[in-house]
Amino acid sequence: MDWIRFVSHTWTLFLDRDGVINERLSDDYVKSATEFNFLPGALESIHFFNQIFNRIIIVSNQQGIGKGIMTSKQLDSVHQYMLSEIEKENGHIDTIFICPQLATEPDNYRKPAPTMAFMAKEMYPEIDFSKSIMVGDTESDILFGKKTGMKTVLIGNEQINLKADLNCNSLSEFAKILKNRG
């Protein structure tokens, strides 16, 4: 875990959304602001991360759109709510990349495909994946980070076949580790 002490304002933080920032709904999708519940400490953690990282980018698979369970407009509304709440706590997200495609669609760019990372680098050319961290709660999040050479942080206790660089119970635990680094 030596790499933690080198994290600085030149680094980029990639965050998954459901299960990291907000509660993951069991067998459902967050379709409205009323269904979006921040996990404890997430807002404060994002505010803290803004003091450390150059960029904070959300990368999220959202196949609820592809399944017809929700619309892009509904998802935009959820994200506007999320961003406004983050901003009320003096936090900032640089951008959100989503993949609305179904997992079964050929050439989809859902995580673990690294496409959303490359889209972020195209938008922000200063991104260096060797100075980036992917924080997620699933194996596809960790594989997404590993495919691009990022450090990886697994949130929660899902059993996965890959080894993340760091395991934390929550985003706020990861923030505490960064605060207390040597």
Side-chain angles (χ1 to χ4, degrees):
M1 212 170 68
D2 274 353
W3 58 270
I4 285 282
R5 61 191 173 102
F6 297 108
V7 174
S8 71
H9 68 280
T10 62
W11 285 55
T12 301
L13 181 63
F14 286 84
L15 297 172
D16 178 44
R17 195 193 79 183
D18 299 336
V20 174
I21 296 172
N22 61 286
E23 293 175 7
R24 177 181 293 284
L25 299 181
S26 179
D27 297 322
D28 201 2
Y29 299 91
V30 176
K31 301 174 291 299
S32 68
T34 58
E35 296 176 341
F36 188 97
N37 296 307
F38 283 95
L39 287 167
L43 288 168
E44 299 83 359
S45 297
I46 292 169
H47 170 71
F48 170 73
F49 295 146
N50 285 134
Q51 299 167 44
I52 296 176
F53 293 96
N54 183 42
R55 302 260 179 228
I56 300 178
I57 297 167
I58 294 175
V59 286
S60 184
N61 291 340
Q62 293 292 328
Q63 75 173 352
I65 294 171
K67 289 180 175 181
I69 294 170
M70 63 190 296
T71 65
S72 294
K73 189 174 181 177
Q74 284 174 296
L75 182 62
D76 288 345
S77 177
V78 169
H79 285 162
Q80 286 304 316
Y81 168 75
M82 176 186 71
L83 293 173
S84 71
E85 294 300 305
I86 289 170
E87 288 172 10
K88 284 180 191 173
E89 296 295 324
N90 297 312
H92 174 76
I93 300 296
D94 289 283
T95 196
I96 301 170
F97 290 100
I98 62 115
C99 179
Q101 297 170 302
L102 296 172
T104 56
E105 286 184 44
D107 300 323
N108 76 70
Y109 57 92
R110 293 171 52 80
K111 293 177 290 176
T115 309
M116 289 187 277
F118 298 136
M119 293 164 78
K121 182 150 178 66
E122 188 173 311
M123 184 178 281
Y124 303 109
E126 75 276 7
I127 291 175
D128 176 350
F129 293 133
S130 70
K131 291 183 175 181
S132 296
I133 301 169
M134 175 62 203
V135 179
D137 68 326
T138 66
E139 187 165 330
S140 69
D141 295 324
I142 301 308
L143 187 53
F144 169 86
K146 289 193 174 293
K147 282 184 173 184
T148 54
M150 296 181 200
K151 297 297 181 191
T152 56
V153 178
L154 179 66
I155 299 294
N157 52 16
E158 180 173 314
Q159 297 299 310
I160 65 171
N161 295 318
L162 297 170
K163 181 165 175 29
D165 294 296
L166 181 63
N167 289 39
C168 294
N169 290 321
S170 64
L171 202 56
S172 57
E173 182 183 345
F174 178 49
K176 280 183 196 158
I177 289 169
L178 284 174
K179 281 180 191 172
N180 297 327
R181 62 200 157 123

